Amino acid sequence: MYDFLVGFMLVLSIFIIIVVAMQPTKTQSASNAFLGGASQLFGKQKARGFEAVLIKTTIVCIALFFILALAITRFF
């Protein structure tokens, strides 16, 4: 059982890396570094479509990873 959970955590960690790498960046250009991102302060929009799915998937995977890590350390 321990080997299965550790293997599942390994696969889950690789999946988390892939999902996080697929998310689009929040900066649109290099000018935001000099302006401090002021253009994004009032133009914040809610994530829609594929980006929203990626955010939800990331949250679920990280929560599952955390629960598995706690379970492995607590029971094994």
Side-chain angles (χ1 to χ4, degrees):
M1 183 70 169
Y2 175 78
D3 293 333
F4 173 74
L5 289 177
V6 171
F8 186 67
M9 274 187 73
L10 180 66
V11 170
L12 188 61
S13 64
I14 293 170
F15 185 71
I16 289 171
I17 292 170
I18 292 170
V19 170
V20 168
M22 287 176 56
Q23 292 182 358
T25 59
K26 300 295 180 191
T27 58
Q28 298 298 327
S29 65
S31 66
N32 284 341
F34 298 110
L35 297 176
S39 62
Q40 294 178 357
L41 180 62
F42 299 108
K44 185 169 175 115
Q45 294 180 354
K46 202 172 192 182
R48 293 185 183 151
F50 186 64
E51 186 178 352
V53 171
L54 283 177
I55 292 171
K56 290 176 185 176
T57 304
T58 304
I59 292 170
V60 168
C61 288
I62 290 175
L64 186 60
F65 184 85
F66 184 70
I67 291 168
L68 278 174
L70 288 176
I72 287 174
T73 58
R74 179 75 176 164
F75 299 115
F76 296 104

